[in-house]
Amino acid sequence: MSNILISTLTTCPYCGVGCGISASAPDQAVTVQGDSTHPANYGRLCVKGSALAQTLSAEGRLLKPQVNGNDCDWPTAISAVAEGLQQTIVQHGPGAVAMYLSGQLLTEDYYVANKLMKGFIGSPHVDTNSRLCMASTVAGHKRAFGADVVPGCYDDIEQARLFVLVGANMAWNHPVLFGRIQAVLQAHPEAKLVVIDPRRSASCEAAQLHLKLRPGSDVLLFTGLLSFLAEQGKLDYRFINMHTDGFAEALASAQLQAATVQQVAAGCDMPLEDVLLFYRWFADQPLSLTLFSQGVNQAVDGTDKVNAIINCHLASGRIGKPGCGPFSLTGQPNAMGGREVGGLANQLAAHIDYSDKAQQALVGEFWKAPNLVTQPGFKAVELFDAIERGEIKAVWIMATNPVVSMPQADKVKAALAKCPLVIVSDIYQHTDTLELATIKLPALGWSEKDGTVTNSERRISRQRALCAPFGQAKADWQIICDVAKALGFNQGFNFDSAAQIFAEHAALSGFGNAGERAFDISGLQHLTTEQYQKLAPIQWPVTSTHPNGTARLFADGQFFTANGRAQFIAVQQGTFKPVMPDAPLRLNSGRLRDQWHTMTRTGEVASLMQHTPEPFVTLHPSDAALYGITTGELVKLANNNGAMLVRAQISDKQRPKELFIPMHWSAQFASQARADVLFAADTDPISGQPALKLSQVALTRFAPKWQAFLFTKTLLTPGQLQRFSQHYLARVPLTGCQSYRLALSTAPDSDKHVLQLLQLTPTLYCREQSSSAEFTYRAAAIADNQLQWLLLAGPALPDIDMTWINQQFSVPLSKQTRQYLLSGQAGQGIASDNSALICSCFNVRSKAICEAIQNGADSTAQLGKQLQCGTNCGSCLPELSALLAQQLNKTLSDVNG
Ligand code: SF4
């Protein structure tokens, strides 16, 4: 890797907060810190953003194109892609070709991909993983506002005094914005945070009220709120009459479904006084901001949930004004940018829908498109179903991992396995999806890319390259344009830079747009390359009348509907379809603090893997007792769609009979922990978004006969681990080695047999005990005084000091160390803290924190002063608060300061 810039401003590639980053490369090593000038974060970064520099390694990168498993040069790869697509089109028509894109792509990549498919190849089948995260919000916004548009901006946080978080664990998933909310709560004692979530998430640690509602009852809760506002005389009839339609129908429907607060409390399975308190707080506080995310979107009634929330804001006139409004928290860094160019199968480009034929014609005219599509294509679930049916015969997947992230993930895997042409563009050489690719194309990673992204508040920011490309990796837009030209479409794809693509995209947004389309950045269409390079973060619309962008929309009460009025929607609660009759437990999935999506990047960062090293399921103590499960046991979750093997966590943060699993693990990190195999492909009928928050499973104990910790200097091959892929395996990268947790349901015949399975040869071997019933032994290999591997096995996982073992892989082994090595414990007098990692930035563990509390630290500020924990990104502050509360037996509100 060679660095090309000394210092530059760019943006974080993870969540939709879209934090600005200041990166520098003083001595060839890139360092990152928050960009103090960026309005999304003003210098702050969360733990994932702070660890970005640790992802910039050539190790594991896909460095060359490959066709049918053979490395090749780019001309060969481009020809293979073009010929494969051409043959498919000739034999089966353009509708047999599809693209599946990603919110990780830059807007410029997305623009040319969409243009190639919808204007030139003539296939409408372009969808994106944004379908899995934002589609219900898009549909809800379009129904209410007439456009896919977030009304407010982040600065509304500082103005608001009531924050309502719905289906959004912001403390972990949008941490920097959550930090801004926490600052308001501290500065303004009257400010309040309400968290609406079936489980007690980290965000609840800062909340004054947690509504632990029955999963899927959000529509009832918000229709109840609308009824309550009407009953209490808290409606803004002036706003309703002047700027909206459909209020009477929406209210009548709400009153029918949620006639009384008692009825709502019963339906949502919550204490009446909690529901009432929330309703009163909302009714009395005009400065109320409702922030929502995947807990709202990923549901069979996701679109209605969005509109149920928007209805309350329209009815109270809390929209288009500072400090209030419904606020969708985008999951991905460029989900919004992708939609701007038409990345969804039901959009054309520049927010133009297929339903408007006149607008549609504008796109054809602007692109000079030979094959403009006129009908929507397959949405994500439909798209993979079409592959499974053999209708789609060639698919190009970019920057996403559907074999892990799609519902019924096993079915998606099988569909891709039989698809004649699977082209995958990715930055890594091993992902679950890439393993099924016919053609593999190495794409640029975050630090090498150049283009733009749009965050949750409509802010377009530049992502700028810090490093030269790894290997032969190329920009996605460049690869797409090369393929387009190889297909004979020279004219539309003769771009030399991302700046040229952005200019065309900006021009299209204003083409024939007299104000009817919300997305308009025509004010940026004439940027020179130099101006594009220097482009400062700016919120769309950017037009000749708003050259500096637009922070907040709808201040004038004008919406993008045909008559300019916002629409109330009479919403209905959806019905959960049981997966199977004998699966008694309800399953929810979500994200973790230190991981991003399918872990391709964050999973390889040792410090990020420490916080939650293994896949798990959380269950309520009453269920643990019922099933006879103890903490740390392996359990199997199964239903008609698939099965998972994970470790049990027991916590009253869950509601009884409900389970939570993380969504991140792939086959690269665990044998059987792909969460989405357990979710049916049920979708919201309006948005097509899959319901990834609610499934049903049976739980059984997995009683292993043999378990082990294995540490290795180098990554083991799939062949070495093959036997364990049928049982339990979880890989955790550490700084000095790889660590594996292994379990077999049947005891191996002998210690020799285990070593044969792993293809390992010991040089230091301690056979402690061995019989057919119980099997305990330890072995290691040392070469040139360096530890190569260490195996510590038995009927249960042995008690070891992982921190100390990890250190031994980076130092020459002393005589004393060898003495203790097979015990897995640091010897007497050697200090080592092996407790749970709480602060990833400063490597502060729970033991040190608890000791500090016992020695007098009684606030997060005190802990920060003594140990530094929580003083960098702040992502661990909720856990510090929880530890303080636990140790001091205090209420959380006492310690949050
Ligand atoms: S909150 Fe964290 S993950 Fe999200 S953009 Fe900011 S630094 Fe990146």
Side-chain angles (χ1 to χ4, degrees):
M1 180 180 79
S2 61
N3 300 315
I4 55 174
L5 290 174
I6 299 303
S7 119
T8 193
L9 299 179
T10 183
T11 40
C12 175
Y14 295 128
C15 83
V17 176
C19 294
I21 283 181
S22 170
S24 54
D27 302 311
Q28 296 292 299
V30 174
T31 58
V32 302
Q33 56 187 19
D35 172 4
S36 58
T37 65
H38 197 291
N41 56 320
Y42 296 110
R44 290 197 67 181
L45 293 178
C46 79
V47 65
K48 293 185 283 288
S50 300
L52 267 168
Q54 295 170 57
T55 65
L56 311 183
S57 157
E59 211 176 314
R61 286 289 297 264
L62 180 65
L63 298 173
K64 290 179 182 165
Q66 279 181 20
V67 176
N68 295 320
N70 300 313
D71 286 350
C72 63
D73 57 17
W74 271 111
T76 308
I78 296 294
S79 296
V81 174
E83 280 166 22
L85 294 178
Q86 192 64 52
Q87 274 176 19
T88 308
I89 294 164
V90 168
Q91 287 175 19
H92 307 285
V97 172
M99 276 188 187
Y100 187 61
L101 308 177
S102 162
Q104 298 287 308
L105 291 171
L106 303 182
T107 302
E108 292 76 0
D109 304 324
Y110 249 126
Y111 178 83
V112 288
N114 194 55
K115 182 179 179 182
L116 173 61
M117 287 290 282
K118 293 179 183 167
F120 290 75
I121 286 178
S123 170
H125 306 310
V126 179
D127 213 42
T128 155
N129 63 7
S130 297
R131 179 75 58 194
L132 313 183
C133 100
M134 301 310 300
S136 296
T137 287
V138 174
H141 282 171
K142 283 166 96 166
R143 289 203 301 187
F145 309 142
D148 169 16
V149 63
V150 172
C153 57
Y154 292 164
D155 284 350
D156 285 325
I157 290 175
E158 279 71 31
Q159 318 253 2
R161 293 297 175 262
L162 174 65
F163 302 94
V164 183
L165 259 59
V166 199
N169 180 13
M170 281 184 79
W172 281 11
N173 300 325
H174 299 89
V176 165
L177 282 191
F178 191 70
R180 288 174 69 166
I181 290 177
Q182 283 178 300
V184 174
L185 294 174
Q186 281 178 11
H188 302 277
E190 78 280 14
K192 292 183 177 63
L193 170 65
V194 178
V195 177
I196 300 171
D197 196 316
R199 67 192 179 105
R200 186 175 178 87
S201 69
S203 301
C204 298
E205 306 301 337
Q208 282 71 32
L209 179 63
H210 173 208
L211 296 179
K212 211 172 181 177
L213 80 176
R214 186 198 304 276
S217 61
D218 316 53
V219 168
L220 180 63
L221 184 66
F222 281 91
T223 50
L225 177 57
L226 186 63
S227 300
F228 183 84
L229 294 174
E231 184 195 295
Q232 298 290 313
K234 296 285 186 178
L235 297 175
D236 185 342
Y237 279 105
R238 189 179 160 275
F239 184 86
I240 292 169
N241 292 334
M242 284 182 70
H243 301 299
T244 71
D245 283 336
F247 172 69
E249 295 85 344
L251 181 62
S253 168
Q255 286 170 331
L256 201 66
Q257 294 173 61
T260 64
V261 182
Q262 284 84 350
Q263 195 182 334
V264 173
C268 296
D269 191 23
M270 288 189 298
L272 174 68
E273 56 274 21
D274 285 1
V275 179
L276 256 179
L277 193 58
F278 164 50
Y279 285 1
R280 285 195 184 118
W281 283 354
F282 191 95
D284 293 342
Q285 181 49 271
L287 297 172
S288 46
L289 201 54
T290 307
L291 303 116
F292 55 95
S293 192
Q294 313 314 354
V296 167
N297 293 321
Q298 292 177 331
V300 290
D301 55 357
T303 307
D304 271 12
K305 285 190 194 183
V306 171
N307 286 110
I309 292 167
I310 293 172
N311 282 349
C312 295
H313 280 272
L314 290 174
S316 52
R318 296 177 195 168
I319 196 161
K321 298 172 190 161
C324 65
F327 203 109
S328 156
L329 296 162
T330 313
Q332 297 196 75
N334 200 29
M336 195 182 284
R339 305 201 305 268
E340 290 158 12
V341 305
L344 292 173
N346 50 319
Q347 295 176 334
L348 193 47
H351 278 202
I352 290 174
D353 277 333
Y354 287 98
S355 54
D356 189 332
K357 296 298 167 198
Q359 293 274 320
Q360 217 180 88
L362 287 174
V363 181
E365 183 190 339
F366 184 88
W367 279 348
K368 299 185 181 57
N371 297 305
L372 189 77
V373 294
T374 53
Q375 298 292 331
F378 292 131
K379 294 170 184 156
V381 168
E382 300 165 341
L383 193 153
F384 286 97
D385 282 349
I387 294 172
E388 207 259 334
R389 290 195 303 272
E391 217 171 296
I392 298 283
K393 296 191 182 297
V395 61
W396 189 348
I397 298 166
M398 296 180 207
T400 185
N401 201 359
V403 171
V404 182
S405 53
M406 284 291 293
Q408 284 188 307
D410 282 343
K411 188 176 156 195
V412 168
K413 186 176 178 182
L416 286 175
K418 68 179 194 183
C419 183
L421 179 60
V422 179
I423 306 156
V424 179
S425 302
D426 207 296
I427 67 170
Y428 288 109
Q429 56 176 308
H430 297 295
T431 76
D432 294 23
T433 301
L434 202 74
E435 280 170 9
L436 301 169
T438 334
I439 300 177
K440 302 176 183 178
L441 303 174
L444 296 183
W446 164 74
S447 62
E448 306 133 63
K449 283 184 181 192
D450 196 54
T452 55
V453 290
T454 309
N455 73 2
S456 297
E457 59 164 356
R458 293 174 278 103
R459 190 178 295 280
I460 297 169
S461 294
R462 288 278 284 110
Q463 211 172 82
R464 297 181 175 92
L466 317 171
C467 311
F470 284 81
Q472 295 178 22
K474 273 194 186 189
D476 287 289
W477 67 261
Q478 184 75 66
I479 302 170
I480 297 159
C481 289
D482 288 350
V483 168
K485 285 186 255 183
L487 285 167
F489 304 126
N490 278 304
Q491 225 177 3
F493 297 89
N494 249 333
F495 298 109
D496 291 326
S497 66
Q500 287 179 0
I501 300 171
F502 183 83
E504 182 177 307
H505 160 56
L508 175 58
S509 75
F511 188 62
N513 187 357
E516 55 275 74
R517 304 199 309 261
F519 179 69
D520 187 344
I521 55 166
S522 53
L524 301 173
Q525 65 182 305
H526 299 301
L527 290 184
T528 63
T529 300
E530 199 189 347
Q531 287 168 328
Y532 176 78
Q533 294 305 352
K534 291 183 178 162
L535 181 66
I538 187 166
Q539 285 172 281
W540 62 259
V542 189
T543 60
S544 53
T545 47
H546 292 92
N548 299 318
T550 314
R552 199 172 288 107
L553 291 163
F554 311 141
D556 56 359
Q558 287 301 300
F559 295 83
F560 293 98
T561 50
N563 65 4
R565 296 165 75 85
Q567 302 295 307
F568 280 93
I569 306 291
V571 292
Q572 290 291 330
Q573 188 159 303
T575 313
F576 171 67
K577 273 191 259 163
V579 181
M580 54 193 280
D582 54 349
L585 298 163
R586 290 213 163 181
L587 184 70
N588 180 7
S589 69
R591 294 186 267 178
L592 299 181
R593 192 190 81 179
D594 291 7
Q595 292 301 330
W596 177 253
H597 280 194
T598 61
M599 296 166 65
T600 49
R601 277 172 295 187
T602 49
E604 298 295 350
V605 178
S607 63
L608 295 180
M609 275 300 263
Q610 296 306 297
H611 184 252
T612 310
E614 274 184 284
F616 65 89
V617 58
T618 314
L619 66 160
H620 190 269
S622 60
D623 295 318
L626 190 68
Y627 286 87
I629 307 286
T630 53
T631 296
E633 263 194 273
L634 288 172
V635 294
K636 186 174 181 179
L637 308 178
N639 62 25
N640 290 345
N641 295 314
M644 276 178 91
L645 201 51
V646 289
R647 232 170 258 289
Q649 279 187 0
I650 299 166
S651 169
D652 63 3
K653 291 178 179 175
Q654 287 300 121
R655 290 161 48 95
K657 300 273 179 269
E658 291 174 14
L659 311 175
F660 174 81
I661 51 171
M663 58 161 271
H664 304 289
W665 267 265
S666 70
Q668 312 305 315
F669 292 93
S671 54
Q672 300 181 56
R674 282 152 60 229
D676 290 343
V677 301
L678 293 174
F679 290 85
D682 293 334
T683 56
D684 177 289
I686 301 160
S687 68
Q689 178 154 359
L692 288 169
K693 289 290 180 191
L694 196 51
S695 186
Q696 215 180 355
V697 289
L699 181 148
T700 48
R701 293 180 72 202
F702 175 83
K705 293 285 185 303
W706 180 95
Q707 300 195 65
F709 277 114
L710 171 65
F711 300 87
T712 60
K713 183 99 186 148
T714 52
L715 196 64
L716 295 185
T717 63
Q720 284 172 289
L721 296 166
Q722 195 179 7
R723 171 75 187 276
F724 296 93
S725 64
Q726 305 304 315
H727 297 258
Y728 182 78
L729 178 160
R731 174 170 75 89
V732 184
L734 301 175
T735 51
C737 62
Q738 297 286 333
S739 71
Y740 298 85
R741 275 100 160 157
L742 305 171
L744 293 170
S745 57
T746 50
D749 302 335
S750 66
D751 36 355
K752 201 170 158 200
H753 181 207
V754 171
L755 296 175
Q756 273 170 356
L757 287 177
L758 291 164
Q759 300 168 26
L760 299 174
T761 309
T763 55
L764 188 66
Y765 180 43
C766 164
R767 178 172 163 163
E768 292 185 341
Q769 186 186 351
S770 175
S771 75
S772 57
E774 198 155 284
F775 212 88
T776 305
Y777 68 90
R778 284 120 199 261
I782 297 166
D784 298 330
N785 215 21
Q786 294 283 330
L787 184 57
Q788 302 301 307
W789 58 261
L790 172 65
L791 180 69
L792 306 166
L797 275 182
D799 185 21
I800 59 162
D801 187 333
M802 181 120 24
T803 309
W804 178 79
I805 292 172
N806 176 45
Q807 286 162 0
Q808 306 321 308
F809 278 88
S810 307
V811 294
L813 291 179
S814 68
K815 223 174 174 183
Q816 191 195 20
T817 305
R818 284 174 186 241
Q819 186 190 332
Y820 292 113
L821 203 53
L822 294 177
S823 75
Q825 295 283 355
Q828 267 185 347
I830 302 172
S832 179
D833 182 354
N834 197 36
S835 59
L837 185 76
I838 303 295
C839 172
S840 300
C841 296
F842 295 109
N843 194 24
V844 187
R845 292 175 182 271
S846 60
K847 187 174 160 215
I849 295 165
C850 291
E851 279 170 8
I853 296 169
Q854 278 150 23
N855 290 329
D858 61 359
S859 67
T860 53
Q862 283 280 333
L863 287 171
K865 222 178 252 174
Q866 290 182 27
L867 302 170
Q868 282 187 288
C869 49
T871 58
N872 183 38
C873 71
S875 300
C876 64
L877 285 170
E879 283 149 291
L880 294 178
S881 294
L883 272 178
L884 277 159
Q886 190 190 64
Q887 295 289 312
L888 301 174
N889 209 10
K890 280 187 173 182
T891 62
L892 289 171
S893 53
D894 288 339
V895 298
N896 280 334

